[in-house]
PDB file of all heavy atoms in Angstrom:
ATOM      1  N   CYS A   1     -13.589  17.984   8.726  1.00  0.00           N
ATOM      2  CA  CYS A   1     -12.130  17.878   8.721  1.00  0.00           C
ATOM      3  C   CYS A   1     -11.616  18.749   7.583  1.00  0.00           C
ATOM      4  O   CYS A   1     -11.922  18.486   6.421  1.00  0.00           O
ATOM      5  CB  CYS A   1     -11.693  16.437   8.527  1.00  0.00           C
ATOM      6  SG  CYS A   1      -9.909  16.230   8.256  1.00  0.00           S
ATOM      7  N   THR A   2     -10.857  19.744   7.944  1.00  0.00           N
ATOM      8  CA  THR A   2     -10.291  20.638   6.941  1.00  0.00           C
ATOM      9  C   THR A   2      -8.788  20.399   6.848  1.00  0.00           C
ATOM     10  O   THR A   2      -8.093  20.379   7.869  1.00  0.00           O
ATOM     11  CB  THR A   2     -10.562  22.104   7.286  1.00  0.00           C
ATOM     12  OG1 THR A   2     -11.978  22.302   7.358  1.00  0.00           O
ATOM     13  CG2 THR A   2      -9.985  23.026   6.226  1.00  0.00           C
ATOM     14  N   ALA A   3      -8.313  20.206   5.642  1.00  0.00           N
ATOM     15  CA  ALA A   3      -6.908  19.867   5.418  1.00  0.00           C
ATOM     16  C   ALA A   3      -6.140  21.024   4.806  1.00  0.00           C
ATOM     17  O   ALA A   3      -6.696  21.833   4.046  1.00  0.00           O
ATOM     18  CB  ALA A   3      -6.821  18.651   4.491  1.00  0.00           C
ATOM     19  N   SER A   4      -4.876  21.075   5.138  1.00  0.00           N
ATOM     20  CA  SER A   4      -3.964  22.033   4.517  1.00  0.00           C
ATOM     21  C   SER A   4      -2.603  21.370   4.374  1.00  0.00           C
ATOM     22  O   SER A   4      -2.275  20.425   5.092  1.00  0.00           O
ATOM     23  CB  SER A   4      -3.850  23.308   5.354  1.00  0.00           C
ATOM     24  OG  SER A   4      -3.374  23.022   6.648  1.00  0.00           O
ATOM     25  N   GLY A   5      -1.835  21.850   3.408  1.00  0.00           N
ATOM     26  CA  GLY A   5      -0.488  21.319   3.225  1.00  0.00           C
ATOM     27  C   GLY A   5      -0.419  19.991   2.499  1.00  0.00           C
ATOM     28  O   GLY A   5       0.650  19.382   2.430  1.00  0.00           O
ATOM     29  N   ILE A   6      -1.544  19.524   1.967  1.00  0.00           N
ATOM     30  CA  ILE A   6      -1.564  18.295   1.177  1.00  0.00           C
ATOM     31  C   ILE A   6      -2.368  18.530  -0.095  1.00  0.00           C
ATOM     32  O   ILE A   6      -3.128  19.497  -0.175  1.00  0.00           O
ATOM     33  CB  ILE A   6      -2.181  17.104   1.950  1.00  0.00           C
ATOM     34  CG1 ILE A   6      -3.651  17.369   2.290  1.00  0.00           C
ATOM     35  CG2 ILE A   6      -1.370  16.782   3.190  1.00  0.00           C
ATOM     36  CD1 ILE A   6      -4.379  16.157   2.869  1.00  0.00           C
ATOM     37  N   ILE A   7      -2.165  17.643  -1.077  1.00  0.00           N
ATOM     38  CA  ILE A   7      -2.999  17.686  -2.278  1.00  0.00           C
ATOM     39  C   ILE A   7      -4.254  16.892  -1.944  1.00  0.00           C
ATOM     40  O   ILE A   7      -4.321  15.680  -2.157  1.00  0.00           O
ATOM     41  CB  ILE A   7      -2.256  17.103  -3.490  1.00  0.00           C
ATOM     42  CG1 ILE A   7      -0.918  17.813  -3.685  1.00  0.00           C
ATOM     43  CG2 ILE A   7      -3.119  17.244  -4.751  1.00  0.00           C
ATOM     44  CD1 ILE A   7      -0.044  17.201  -4.762  1.00  0.00           C
ATOM     45  N   PHE A   8      -5.229  17.583  -1.393  1.00  0.00           N
ATOM     46  CA  PHE A   8      -6.394  16.933  -0.811  1.00  0.00           C
ATOM     47  C   PHE A   8      -7.082  15.998  -1.792  1.00  0.00           C
ATOM     48  O   PHE A   8      -7.493  14.889  -1.425  1.00  0.00           O
ATOM     49  CB  PHE A   8      -7.373  18.008  -0.329  1.00  0.00           C
ATOM     50  CG  PHE A   8      -8.599  17.459   0.355  1.00  0.00           C
ATOM     51  CD1 PHE A   8      -8.565  17.118   1.698  1.00  0.00           C
ATOM     52  CD2 PHE A   8      -9.787  17.292  -0.350  1.00  0.00           C
ATOM     53  CE1 PHE A   8      -9.702  16.613   2.331  1.00  0.00           C
ATOM     54  CE2 PHE A   8     -10.921  16.801   0.265  1.00  0.00           C
ATOM     55  CZ  PHE A   8     -10.876  16.454   1.613  1.00  0.00           C
ATOM     56  N   SER A   9      -7.200  16.406  -3.041  1.00  0.00           N
ATOM     57  CA  SER A   9      -8.033  15.676  -3.998  1.00  0.00           C
ATOM     58  C   SER A   9      -7.526  14.265  -4.277  1.00  0.00           C
ATOM     59  O   SER A   9      -8.314  13.399  -4.653  1.00  0.00           O
ATOM     60  CB  SER A   9      -8.132  16.454  -5.307  1.00  0.00           C
ATOM     61  OG  SER A   9      -6.847  16.631  -5.866  1.00  0.00           O
ATOM     62  N   VAL A  10      -6.239  14.001  -4.082  1.00  0.00           N
ATOM     63  CA  VAL A  10      -5.722  12.668  -4.407  1.00  0.00           C
ATOM     64  C   VAL A  10      -5.696  11.748  -3.197  1.00  0.00           C
ATOM     65  O   VAL A  10      -5.433  10.560  -3.323  1.00  0.00           O
ATOM     66  CB  VAL A  10      -4.298  12.749  -5.006  1.00  0.00           C
ATOM     67  CG1 VAL A  10      -4.303  13.616  -6.248  1.00  0.00           C
ATOM     68  CG2 VAL A  10      -3.288  13.254  -3.990  1.00  0.00           C
ATOM     69  N   ASN A  11      -5.972  12.308  -2.033  1.00  0.00           N
ATOM     70  CA  ASN A  11      -5.879  11.523  -0.819  1.00  0.00           C
ATOM     71  C   ASN A  11      -7.128  10.700  -0.548  1.00  0.00           C
ATOM     72  O   ASN A  11      -8.247  11.157  -0.794  1.00  0.00           O
ATOM     73  CB  ASN A  11      -5.637  12.435   0.382  1.00  0.00           C
ATOM     74  CG  ASN A  11      -4.169  12.762   0.571  1.00  0.00           C
ATOM     75  OD1 ASN A  11      -3.489  12.137   1.391  1.00  0.00           O
ATOM     76  ND2 ASN A  11      -3.672  13.720  -0.172  1.00  0.00           N
ATOM     77  N   ILE A  12      -6.904   9.488  -0.055  1.00  0.00           N
ATOM     78  CA  ILE A  12      -7.985   8.715   0.536  1.00  0.00           C
ATOM     79  C   ILE A  12      -8.212   9.294   1.926  1.00  0.00           C
ATOM     80  O   ILE A  12      -7.295   9.367   2.736  1.00  0.00           O
ATOM     81  CB  ILE A  12      -7.624   7.228   0.629  1.00  0.00           C
ATOM     82  CG1 ILE A  12      -7.400   6.649  -0.763  1.00  0.00           C
ATOM     83  CG2 ILE A  12      -8.708   6.457   1.375  1.00  0.00           C
ATOM     84  CD1 ILE A  12      -6.823   5.258  -0.755  1.00  0.00           C
ATOM     85  N   MET A  13      -9.422   9.718   2.183  1.00  0.00           N
ATOM     86  CA  MET A  13      -9.754  10.325   3.470  1.00  0.00           C
ATOM     87  C   MET A  13     -10.591   9.346   4.287  1.00  0.00           C
ATOM     88  O   MET A  13     -11.376   8.560   3.732  1.00  0.00           O
ATOM     89  CB  MET A  13     -10.525  11.617   3.259  1.00  0.00           C
ATOM     90  CG  MET A  13      -9.803  12.661   2.436  1.00  0.00           C
ATOM     91  SD  MET A  13      -8.273  13.225   3.203  1.00  0.00           S
ATOM     92  CE  MET A  13      -8.908  13.975   4.709  1.00  0.00           C
ATOM     93  N   ALA A  14     -10.438   9.412   5.583  1.00  0.00           N
ATOM     94  CA  ALA A  14     -11.166   8.478   6.435  1.00  0.00           C
ATOM     95  C   ALA A  14     -11.386   9.070   7.821  1.00  0.00           C
ATOM     96  O   ALA A  14     -10.688   9.998   8.240  1.00  0.00           O
ATOM     97  CB  ALA A  14     -10.405   7.158   6.543  1.00  0.00           C
ATOM     98  N   TRP A  15     -12.359   8.501   8.495  1.00  0.00           N
ATOM     99  CA  TRP A  15     -12.612   8.776   9.909  1.00  0.00           C
ATOM    100  C   TRP A  15     -12.362   7.490  10.688  1.00  0.00           C
ATOM    101  O   TRP A  15     -12.875   6.426  10.328  1.00  0.00           O
ATOM    102  CB  TRP A  15     -14.043   9.229  10.132  1.00  0.00           C
ATOM    103  CG  TRP A  15     -14.344  10.580   9.601  1.00  0.00           C
ATOM    104  CD1 TRP A  15     -14.924  10.874   8.394  1.00  0.00           C
ATOM    105  CD2 TRP A  15     -14.094  11.843  10.235  1.00  0.00           C
ATOM    106  NE1 TRP A  15     -15.038  12.225   8.245  1.00  0.00           N
ATOM    107  CE2 TRP A  15     -14.547  12.845   9.361  1.00  0.00           C
ATOM    108  CE3 TRP A  15     -13.539  12.205  11.451  1.00  0.00           C
ATOM    109  CZ2 TRP A  15     -14.449  14.201   9.674  1.00  0.00           C
ATOM    110  CZ3 TRP A  15     -13.446  13.546  11.762  1.00  0.00           C
ATOM    111  CH2 TRP A  15     -13.897  14.534  10.880  1.00  0.00           C
ATOM    112  N   TYR A  16     -11.592   7.614  11.752  1.00  0.00           N
ATOM    113  CA  TYR A  16     -11.390   6.544  12.717  1.00  0.00           C
ATOM    114  C   TYR A  16     -11.932   7.019  14.049  1.00  0.00           C
ATOM    115  O   TYR A  16     -12.153   8.210  14.267  1.00  0.00           O
ATOM    116  CB  TYR A  16      -9.906   6.210  12.871  1.00  0.00           C
ATOM    117  CG  TYR A  16      -9.317   5.402  11.739  1.00  0.00           C
ATOM    118  CD1 TYR A  16      -9.024   5.986  10.509  1.00  0.00           C
ATOM    119  CD2 TYR A  16      -9.041   4.051  11.896  1.00  0.00           C
ATOM    120  CE1 TYR A  16      -8.480   5.241   9.468  1.00  0.00           C
ATOM    121  CE2 TYR A  16      -8.495   3.296  10.870  1.00  0.00           C
ATOM    122  CZ  TYR A  16      -8.211   3.897   9.661  1.00  0.00           C
ATOM    123  OH  TYR A  16      -7.680   3.155   8.631  1.00  0.00           O
ATOM    124  N   ARG A  17     -12.134   6.082  14.952  1.00  0.00           N
ATOM    125  CA  ARG A  17     -12.527   6.450  16.303  1.00  0.00           C
ATOM    126  C   ARG A  17     -11.894   5.504  17.305  1.00  0.00           C
ATOM    127  O   ARG A  17     -11.564   4.363  16.976  1.00  0.00           O
ATOM    128  CB  ARG A  17     -14.042   6.458  16.462  1.00  0.00           C
ATOM    129  CG  ARG A  17     -14.701   5.106  16.380  1.00  0.00           C
ATOM    130  CD  ARG A  17     -16.228   5.260  16.431  1.00  0.00           C
ATOM    131  NE  ARG A  17     -16.907   3.963  16.366  1.00  0.00           N
ATOM    132  CZ  ARG A  17     -18.225   3.823  16.254  1.00  0.00           C
ATOM    133  NH1 ARG A  17     -19.013   4.904  16.198  1.00  0.00           N
ATOM    134  NH2 ARG A  17     -18.753   2.619  16.210  1.00  0.00           N
ATOM    135  N   GLN A  18     -11.744   6.008  18.508  1.00  0.00           N
ATOM    136  CA  GLN A  18     -11.213   5.192  19.590  1.00  0.00           C
ATOM    137  C   GLN A  18     -11.988   5.502  20.856  1.00  0.00           C
ATOM    138  O   GLN A  18     -11.987   6.637  21.338  1.00  0.00           O
ATOM    139  CB  GLN A  18      -9.729   5.450  19.805  1.00  0.00           C
ATOM    140  CG  GLN A  18      -9.096   4.510  20.808  1.00  0.00           C
ATOM    141  CD  GLN A  18      -7.585   4.536  20.769  1.00  0.00           C
ATOM    142  OE1 GLN A  18      -6.968   5.486  20.284  1.00  0.00           O
ATOM    143  NE2 GLN A  18      -6.958   3.482  21.269  1.00  0.00           N
ATOM    144  N   ALA A  19     -12.632   4.462  21.363  1.00  0.00           N
ATOM    145  CA  ALA A  19     -13.365   4.566  22.620  1.00  0.00           C
ATOM    146  C   ALA A  19     -12.438   4.178  23.765  1.00  0.00           C
ATOM    147  O   ALA A  19     -11.461   3.440  23.554  1.00  0.00           O
ATOM    148  CB  ALA A  19     -14.582   3.659  22.586  1.00  0.00           C
ATOM    149  N   PRO A  20     -12.741   4.631  24.982  1.00  0.00           N
ATOM    150  CA  PRO A  20     -11.886   4.294  26.127  1.00  0.00           C
ATOM    151  C   PRO A  20     -11.739   2.792  26.297  1.00  0.00           C
ATOM    152  O   PRO A  20     -12.736   2.051  26.285  1.00  0.00           O
ATOM    153  CB  PRO A  20     -12.652   4.901  27.308  1.00  0.00           C
ATOM    154  CG  PRO A  20     -13.436   6.010  26.718  1.00  0.00           C
ATOM    155  CD  PRO A  20     -13.823   5.547  25.353  1.00  0.00           C
ATOM    156  N   GLY A  21     -10.512   2.341  26.401  1.00  0.00           N
ATOM    157  CA  GLY A  21     -10.250   0.927  26.609  1.00  0.00           C
ATOM    158  C   GLY A  21     -10.382   0.060  25.376  1.00  0.00           C
ATOM    159  O   GLY A  21     -10.281  -1.173  25.469  1.00  0.00           O
ATOM    160  N   LYS A  22     -10.624   0.673  24.231  1.00  0.00           N
ATOM    161  CA  LYS A  22     -10.798  -0.105  22.998  1.00  0.00           C
ATOM    162  C   LYS A  22      -9.772   0.310  21.956  1.00  0.00           C
ATOM    163  O   LYS A  22      -9.160   1.368  22.041  1.00  0.00           O
ATOM    164  CB  LYS A  22     -12.214   0.086  22.447  1.00  0.00           C
ATOM    165  CG  LYS A  22     -13.301  -0.457  23.330  1.00  0.00           C
ATOM    166  CD  LYS A  22     -14.653  -0.394  22.641  1.00  0.00           C
ATOM    167  CE  LYS A  22     -15.743  -1.012  23.488  1.00  0.00           C
ATOM    168  NZ  LYS A  22     -17.061  -0.980  22.804  1.00  0.00           N
ATOM    169  N   GLN A  23      -9.605  -0.554  20.976  1.00  0.00           N
ATOM    170  CA  GLN A  23      -8.683  -0.247  19.889  1.00  0.00           C
ATOM    171  C   GLN A  23      -9.291   0.765  18.930  1.00  0.00           C
ATOM    172  O   GLN A  23     -10.515   0.858  18.801  1.00  0.00           O
ATOM    173  CB  GLN A  23      -8.332  -1.540  19.127  1.00  0.00           C
ATOM    174  CG  GLN A  23      -7.420  -2.475  19.885  1.00  0.00           C
ATOM    175  CD  GLN A  23      -6.911  -3.596  19.007  1.00  0.00           C
ATOM    176  OE1 GLN A  23      -7.583  -4.023  18.068  1.00  0.00           O
ATOM    177  NE2 GLN A  23      -5.714  -4.082  19.295  1.00  0.00           N
ATOM    178  N   ARG A  24      -8.424   1.488  18.273  1.00  0.00           N
ATOM    179  CA  ARG A  24      -8.893   2.425  17.261  1.00  0.00           C
ATOM    180  C   ARG A  24      -9.507   1.633  16.105  1.00  0.00           C
ATOM    181  O   ARG A  24      -8.959   0.607  15.702  1.00  0.00           O
ATOM    182  CB  ARG A  24      -7.718   3.276  16.781  1.00  0.00           C
ATOM    183  CG  ARG A  24      -8.103   4.470  15.958  1.00  0.00           C
ATOM    184  CD  ARG A  24      -6.900   5.374  15.744  1.00  0.00           C
ATOM    185  NE  ARG A  24      -6.413   5.973  16.977  1.00  0.00           N
ATOM    186  CZ  ARG A  24      -5.437   6.865  17.016  1.00  0.00           C
ATOM    187  NH1 ARG A  24      -4.817   7.232  15.907  1.00  0.00           N
ATOM    188  NH2 ARG A  24      -5.054   7.354  18.174  1.00  0.00           N
ATOM    189  N   GLU A  25     -10.613   2.107  15.565  1.00  0.00           N
ATOM    190  CA  GLU A  25     -11.281   1.389  14.487  1.00  0.00           C
ATOM    191  C   GLU A  25     -11.669   2.344  13.363  1.00  0.00           C
ATOM    192  O   GLU A  25     -11.939   3.537  13.592  1.00  0.00           O
ATOM    193  CB  GLU A  25     -12.545   0.691  15.006  1.00  0.00           C
ATOM    194  CG  GLU A  25     -13.616   1.624  15.540  1.00  0.00           C
ATOM    195  CD  GLU A  25     -14.905   0.911  15.907  1.00  0.00           C
ATOM    196  OE1 GLU A  25     -15.046  -0.293  15.611  1.00  0.00           O
ATOM    197  OE2 GLU A  25     -15.793   1.571  16.479  1.00  0.00           O
TER     198      GLU A  25
END
């Protein structure tokens, strides 16, 4: 994941996923 337009170093970064028919987690 490459970011632009934000101060990357201060951000909490995360990965979420969503499977078909399921809630994002």
